[in-house]
Amino acid sequence: MTPSRSDLPRPRRRRRAANRRAPAVTIHDVAARAGVSVATVSRVLNRKEIVREETTNQVLAAAKSLRYIPNVAARALSIRRSQTVGIVLPDVHGEFFSEVIRGIDVAARKDRYHILVSGSHSDVVEMGEVLEAMHGRVDGLVVMAPDVAIDSLREQLPRDLPMVLLNSSDERHPAITIDNYGGARAMMRHLAGLGHKRIAFITGPASNADSRDRLRGYRQSMRGATRLEIAGDFTEHAGHEAVKQILAADPRPTAIFAANDSMAVGALSALHEAGIDVPRQMSVVGFDDIPIARYVNPPLTTIRVEIAELGRRAFAVLVETLAHPKSRVRRETIETTLIVRKSSGRQGETS
Amino acid sequence: MTPSRSDLPRPRRRRRAANRRAPAVTIHDVAARAGVSVATVSRVLNRKEIVREETTNQVLAAAKSLRYIPNVAARALSIRRSQTVGIVLPDVHGEFFSEVIRGIDVAARKDRYHILVSGSHSDVVEMGEVLEAMHGRVDGLVVMAPDVAIDSLREQLPRDLPMVLLNSSDERHPAITIDNYGGARAMMRHLAGLGHKRIAFITGPASNADSRDRLRGYRQSMRGATRLEIAGDFTEHAGHEAVKQILAADPRPTAIFAANDSMAVGALSALHEAGIDVPRQMSVVGFDDIPIARYVNPPLTTIRVEIAELGRRAFAVLVETLAHPKSRVRRETIETTLIVRKSSGRQGETS
DNA sequence: GCGCAAAATGTAAACGGTTACATGTAACGG
DNA sequence: CCGTTACATGTAACCGTTTACATTTTGCGC
């Protein structure tokens, strides 16, 4: 029964042998320097309970002189929350991507939250890994995923990790969606009002819910008319390529509706190369109103989506869910606005 | 001396009273279910030491049935590394921003690292907060900051947290920089070769090192000639506005060199509105070769910078520093390439 | 100076993992 | 049948915080 180690509690040994990096200064160092206990240091730093002013000053001075920076991971572990939300995005192209993040980031900062971003995930496996890598570091998630993935994602998720979806359709989670269908219908009315009948549509990826709803709006408006749908993937390149097929069509359409602005920009460029005047010979319209849209030539008629607002609302709903876990599942819709610029014109003002 | 608590080690009480969220499943739950100790579970999950196959299977089954997900924050605390690097960016505009992140992200994923991003930081105080929020969560940092901030940033940093700078000039840290000066000189030679003498320059923010070096290249090439410098801030809007001043200048310049592509795009748009033909009446060139550059009208002559490569190299250097902390401070330069498209033309081909 | 409540501070368990070291067990040679 | 060894597994300290509870100090009335 002789214990091989000392019976007396040994003083906390600062480092184990195999550590690599230089020791960072911890709350214990500050406590030692200030001549108080770690509890007191913690109290001072978190301004939670009453500490004598003199003690407070000593602690603060010690912390400052040692350049103490609390280890947020340790704190998160202890209090079981991190004041951080995770953002998981698929491989989203360019500006949309950064606008969403910006929206969340700005909102988060106001509430003293931090964000942890992971983007460019092409498949479900990768997304799963990312989610795993976030467990313990985030209090909740904002997820944008091709909706085929949502279900399998759920399974890899720690239970009870609140999550808000962007532009996906799942019954069990709060979600913020764009009024894609309504926006597409509005754009189609605009084109119809200009006299266009033969309207081509460049689609986004089929796995994307936004993409599908925009397509649905196009189809609904084209009931009875002959549709021309070219498959795209939301990149400028796809828009550029699609134009070749559209120009070859007989009868040739008089307007092109791209499922997002990036593709519309690509289309404009291809039309210019082909010597086709926009909007006199061909109208081109997009969707999203990304920042560049007003600066292309001619400026792009599009459907404005407040992308940053999308992020902001997602964050708001997430925080709400964090505060009241039992509240019912909320789903919000972001309305859209038709922005008429120079890339769309009356049909028949051809040469 | 009578201890008020029991002398016997009590079994670990699972939760303290005040917890809010539902309990997540931990390694202890898995151990209990598999009928082994936590050490064994840990060994199985990390494939580190030899565990009997039968035991392994039991553990794996238990983990699966409980949907166990390890808490990465706890692990990070324990092993003192997180397999995560932090990315800190100022308020960078649009595509540049996302390209850098993508570059780092792709490289990081290959090495099984994760990234933690924080963007849109306007001032030093905010950046300090962000850095603090990363302490304990990251093994190293990639930082892009207005260089006035670097010094004060250093002070807020935990000692010994490796950091790689993007496009900043600081002696004490590894840095990846773009050959801005060389690129600007190359572009100026291109314009001179087309016969341009009166060349206007739209600058970026003065606090930005890239911006300053590009300006320096312009000035060096313009020795002796009359310069026209308009202050900008890297946004399309700034480029758009700058054109007003440039058109009012007498004698009017024959070419505009914008310090980045976004401003060049804004300038193109303004020139189009003003009815000035590019490149016949005015050449316009940019810097960066962002994705949109080839799709504007006319396609933009610019200096290609492999932005994603910038991120990739930054990550590589960071990992290198992590592995060999004492190795000398490395600084690398990303070379640039002149990309000639349609927005620049021979001077004198005016109406 | 004493008793007592209130205020300030300290002690140590817990958060969820990893791992050094201790312990138990099976195989094997003698 | 025992000692040795190698292998498998368990125990508990530790990572850096927070915080319930215990303990000490202070202030105050008498």
Side-chain angles (χ1 to χ4, degrees):
Chain A
M1 279 306 291
T2 313
S4 53
R5 298 178 178 215
S6 166
D7 277 350
L8 299 171
R10 290 173 304 165
R12 172 182 269 254
R13 189 171 26 123
R14 261 312 298 285
R15 300 296 164 203
R16 63 179 79 165
N19 67 325
R20 300 259 210 67
R21 293 246 295 280
V25 12
T26 76
I27 198 172
H28 290 94
D29 302 322
V30 177
R33 168 92 91 151
V36 299
S37 73
V38 292
T40 300
V41 176
S42 177
R43 285 191 268 256
V44 168
L45 265 22
N46 295 297
R47 302 169 187 73
K48 284 219 154 162
E49 297 166 56
I50 337 93
V51 178
R52 232 177 350 143
E53 186 167 341
E54 190 190 336
T55 316
T56 301
N57 293 338
Q58 283 169 23
V59 170
L60 258 25
K64 184 161 205 173
S65 78
L66 291 173
R67 288 228 231 129
Y68 170 65
I69 297 173
N71 182 315
V72 289
R75 158 184 285 157
L77 181 59
S78 186
I79 65 177
R80 308 172 64 67
R81 70 199 325 263
S82 59
Q83 285 288 307
T84 301
V85 302
I87 308 178
V88 180
L89 302 166
D91 194 15
V92 179
H93 199 68
E95 303 203 69
F96 188 89
F97 177 84
S98 48
E99 280 294 300
V100 171
I101 295 179
R102 188 191 310 269
I104 300 177
D105 193 32
V106 168
R109 181 152 31 248
K110 284 214 186 72
D111 286 9
R112 323 218 91 238
Y113 267 83
H114 296 274
I115 64 174
L116 202 159
V117 182
S118 195
S120 337
H121 302 294
S122 38
D123 63 33
V124 183
V125 177
E126 269 185 12
M127 275 214 173
E129 280 173 15
V130 167
L131 254 22
E132 187 163 319
M134 288 191 169
H135 179 45
R137 296 203 246 234
V138 301
D139 296 337
L141 290 172
V142 176
V143 175
M144 188 184 309
D147 43 25
V148 288
I150 299 285
D151 271 349
S152 75
L153 231 49
R154 266 191 64 76
E155 295 183 9
Q156 311 191 42
L157 220 59
R159 298 171 203 277
D160 309 297
L161 222 214
M163 143 164 125
V164 173
L165 301 177
L166 288 186
N167 304 348
S168 296
S169 44
D170 178 275
E171 304 307 311
R172 286 175 298 249
H173 297 275
I176 316 293
T177 49
I178 295 169
D179 181 17
N180 290 298
Y181 179 79
R185 293 301 302 268
M187 181 58 88
M188 290 300 286
R189 275 196 300 277
H190 166 68
L191 291 175
L194 291 172
H196 295 281
K197 299 234 161 29
R198 297 191 305 281
I199 304 173
F201 188 82
I202 311 179
T203 75
S207 63
N208 180 294
D210 293 323
S211 169
R212 284 200 313 268
D213 287 345
R214 292 171 190 182
L215 176 58
R216 202 159 52 79
Y218 164 77
R219 286 182 176 167
Q220 179 65 20
S221 294
M222 289 292 277
R223 273 161 318 188
T226 317
R227 302 195 305 257
L228 177 57
E229 299 172 5
I230 315 288
D233 62 3
F234 279 172
T235 64
E236 284 96 354
H237 181 74
H240 195 271
E241 293 301 299
V243 164
K244 292 178 188 159
Q245 290 183 56
I246 293 170
L247 293 183
D250 183 21
R252 182 187 281 186
T254 61
I256 300 175
F257 182 6
N260 78 343
D261 284 352
S262 294
M263 294 195 299
V265 168
L268 282 179
S269 145
L271 288 167
H272 181 77
E273 285 172 14
I276 311 250
D277 185 86
V278 177
R280 291 223 340 279
Q281 295 171 267
M282 180 78 81
S283 287
V284 174
V285 300
F287 206 116
D288 283 345
D289 197 23
I290 59 179
I292 204 88
R294 57 154 54 79
Y295 294 111
V296 293
N297 182 0
L300 192 64
T301 291
T302 186
I303 297 290
R304 170 170 304 169
V305 177
E306 298 286 350
I307 306 172
E309 172 72 11
L310 180 69
R312 200 174 311 134
R313 294 266 280 277
F315 176 77
V317 169
L318 185 53
V319 166
E320 169 73 17
T321 309
L322 250 24
H324 309 289
K326 351 232 94 200
S327 64
R328 66 180 180 70
V329 173
R330 291 173 56 173
R331 20 194 72 255
E332 299 190 4
T333 303
I334 305 267
E335 296 307 320
T336 59
T337 324
L338 172 68
I339 305 288
V340 178
R341 296 203 181 96
K342 302 285 175 59
S343 68
S344 58
R346 183 155 294 281
Q347 199 283 324
E349 291 185 0
T350 311
S351 52
Chain B
M1 277 308 288
T2 313
S4 53
R5 299 180 177 211
S6 165
D7 277 351
L8 299 170
R10 290 172 304 164
R12 170 183 270 254
R13 186 171 29 122
R14 263 310 299 283
R15 302 294 166 203
R16 62 179 81 166
N19 68 323
R20 300 258 210 69
R21 293 248 295 281
V25 16
T26 75
I27 198 171
H28 290 93
D29 303 321
V30 177
R33 167 92 94 157
V36 299
S37 74
V38 293
T40 300
V41 176
S42 176
R43 285 191 268 254
V44 169
L45 265 23
N46 295 298
R47 300 170 188 73
K48 285 220 152 160
E49 297 167 57
I50 334 94
V51 179
R52 225 171 2 134
E53 186 166 342
E54 191 190 335
T55 316
T56 302
N57 293 338
Q58 282 169 24
V59 169
L60 257 23
K64 185 161 203 175
S65 77
L66 291 173
R67 289 229 228 125
Y68 170 65
I69 298 174
N71 183 316
V72 288
R75 159 184 286 157
L77 181 60
S78 185
I79 65 177
R80 309 171 66 68
R81 69 199 325 260
S82 59
Q83 285 289 306
T84 301
V85 302
I87 307 178
V88 180
L89 303 165
D91 193 15
V92 179
H93 200 67
E95 303 204 69
F96 188 90
F97 175 84
S98 49
E99 279 295 300
V100 171
I101 295 179
R102 185 191 313 269
I104 299 177
D105 193 32
V106 168
R109 181 153 30 247
K110 284 214 186 73
D111 286 8
R112 324 218 91 238
Y113 266 84
H114 296 274
I115 64 173
L116 201 160
V117 181
S118 197
S120 334
H121 301 293
S122 39
D123 63 33
V124 182
V125 177
E126 268 185 12
M127 276 213 171
E129 280 174 14
V130 166
L131 255 21
E132 188 163 317
M134 288 190 168
H135 179 45
R137 296 204 245 234
V138 301
D139 297 337
L141 290 172
V142 176
V143 175
M144 188 185 311
D147 44 26
V148 287
I150 300 285
D151 271 349
S152 75
L153 231 49
R154 265 191 64 77
E155 294 184 8
Q156 311 190 43
L157 220 60
R159 301 170 200 277
D160 310 299
L161 223 213
M163 144 164 124
V164 173
L165 300 177
L166 288 186
N167 305 346
S168 295
S169 43
D170 178 276
E171 304 307 312
R172 287 175 298 249
H173 297 276
I176 316 294
T177 50
I178 296 169
D179 181 19
N180 290 299
Y181 179 80
R185 293 300 303 267
M187 180 58 87
M188 290 299 286
R189 274 195 301 278
H190 166 68
L191 291 175
L194 292 172
H196 294 280
K197 300 233 159 33
R198 296 191 306 281
I199 303 172
F201 188 83
I202 311 180
T203 75
S207 63
N208 180 296
D210 293 323
S211 169
R212 284 200 315 268
D213 287 346
R214 292 170 192 183
L215 176 58
R216 204 158 51 79
Y218 164 77
R219 285 182 177 165
Q220 179 65 20
S221 294
M222 289 291 277
R223 273 160 318 187
T226 316
R227 302 195 305 257
L228 177 57
E229 299 172 5
I230 315 287
D233 62 3
F234 277 172
T235 65
E236 284 95 353
H237 180 75
H240 195 272
E241 293 301 300
V243 164
K244 293 178 187 160
Q245 290 182 57
I246 293 171
L247 293 183
D250 183 21
R252 181 189 281 186
T254 62
I256 300 176
F257 183 4
N260 77 344
D261 283 352
S262 294
M263 294 196 298
V265 169
L268 281 178
S269 144
L271 289 167
H272 182 75
E273 284 171 18
I276 309 247
D277 184 88
V278 176
R280 294 228 333 283
Q281 295 172 269
M282 179 78 82
S283 287
V284 174
V285 301
F287 207 116
D288 281 346
D289 197 24
I290 59 178
I292 204 86
R294 57 155 54 80
Y295 294 110
V296 293
N297 183 0
L300 192 65
T301 291
T302 185
I303 297 291
R304 170 169 304 169
V305 176
E306 298 285 349
I307 306 173
E309 172 73 9
L310 181 68
R312 199 174 314 135
R313 294 267 279 277
F315 177 78
V317 169
L318 186 54
V319 166
E320 169 74 17
T321 308
L322 250 24
H324 310 288
K326 355 230 94 203
S327 65
R328 67 181 179 69
V329 172
R330 290 174 56 174
R331 20 195 73 256
E332 300 190 2
T333 302
I334 306 268
E335 296 307 319
T336 59
T337 325
L338 173 67
I339 305 288
V340 178
R341 298 203 181 95
K342 300 286 176 56
S343 69
S344 57
R346 183 155 295 281
Q347 200 281 325
E349 291 184 3
T350 311
S351 53

